[in-house]
Amino acid sequence: MQTSPDTGTTRLPIGSDTDLAWVRQQVRQAAAEGGFTLVQQTKLITAASELARNTLIHGGGGQLEMTALMHGLRLTFTDSGPGIRDIEQAMTDGFTTGNGLGLGLSGAKRLVQDFRIDSRPGQGTTITITAWATAMPRPRAEHG
């Protein structure tokens, strides 16, 4: 893990199942420190876990670049794998190149506020997601 003090960006390698667990743990910690509610943390960790797994399985490994934002987190997953030939198809619910349910990329997109994908066959894939911590609603005042 490398952290750049001037940007608040942490880089984590994704090259093994152990790295996947480390990514989940680091995202959980950053989200908790960033003021995310438990539900928001769970959504972000789920999206990060899916994207890290895709980076490892389909991209042959890569890295996560995690940047703390004011009230949010930006996660960028990068690999140098074969790329995605048809992004529109890959984002379709039910489409899978493996034995999964085909909800990976589209499911991850639904769990965050911003989702960007850049991929070209033979040049790898970069997916950037951003999630924002929102304040918990305050209880309504009792009128009586």
Side-chain angles (χ1 to χ4, degrees), residues 1 7 13 16 20 22-23 28 30 34 45 56 58 72 81 84-85 90 92 97 106 116 127 129 131 137:
M1 175 174 72
T7 63
S16 68
L20 297 180
W22 183 243
V23 162
R28 176 180 293 118
I45 294 161
L56 178 62
H58 301 292
I84 300 171
R85 198 172 303 288
T92 303
T97 57
S106 60
R116 296 177 189 186
I127 297 177
I129 61 173

Side-chain angles (χ1 to χ4, degrees), residues 20-43:
L20 297 180
W22 183 243
V23 162
R24 285 190 294 270
Q25 181 180 353
Q26 293 303 301
V27 171
R28 176 180 293 118
Q29 181 177 338
E33 290 171 0
F36 284 71
T37 66
L38 185 57
V39 170
Q40 292 167 337
Q41 290 176 43
T42 301
K43 288 179 178 182

Side-chain angles (χ1 to χ4, degrees), residues 2-137:
Q2 297 176 334
T3 301
S4 174
D6 53 335
T7 63
T9 297
T10 301
R11 288 178 185 79
L12 302 169
I14 301 172
S16 68
D17 287 339
T18 302
D19 291 339
L20 297 180
W22 183 243
V23 162
R24 285 190 294 270
Q25 181 180 353
Q26 293 303 301
V27 171
R28 176 180 293 118
Q29 181 177 338
E33 290 171 0
F36 284 71
T37 66
L38 185 57
V39 170
Q40 292 167 337
Q41 290 176 43
T42 301
K43 288 179 178 182
L44 181 58
I45 294 161
T46 301
S49 181
E50 177 61 31
L51 297 174
R53 184 181 165 284
N54 283 356
T55 299
L56 178 62
I57 302 299
H58 301 292
Q63 77 168 6
L64 163 62
E65 189 171 282
M66 181 169 53
T67 304
L69 307 170
M70 183 71 73
H71 307 295
L73 278 174
R74 180 174 46 244
L75 308 178
T76 301
F77 298 85
T78 305
D79 68 59
S80 299
I84 300 171
R85 198 172 303 288
D86 185 340
I87 293 174
E88 186 176 336
Q89 182 181 38
M91 293 299 298
T92 303
D93 284 349
F95 176 78
T96 182
T97 57
N99 297 323
L101 298 174
L103 297 173
L105 290 178
S106 60
K109 181 178 181 180
R110 283 192 293 273
L111 293 171
V112 297
Q113 286 79 27
D114 186 55
F115 183 99
R116 296 177 189 186
I117 185 167
D118 180 30
S119 185
R120 290 178 191 84
Q123 296 183 14
T125 300
T126 298
I127 297 177
T128 302
I129 61 173
T130 306
W132 301 100
T134 56
M136 289 292 294

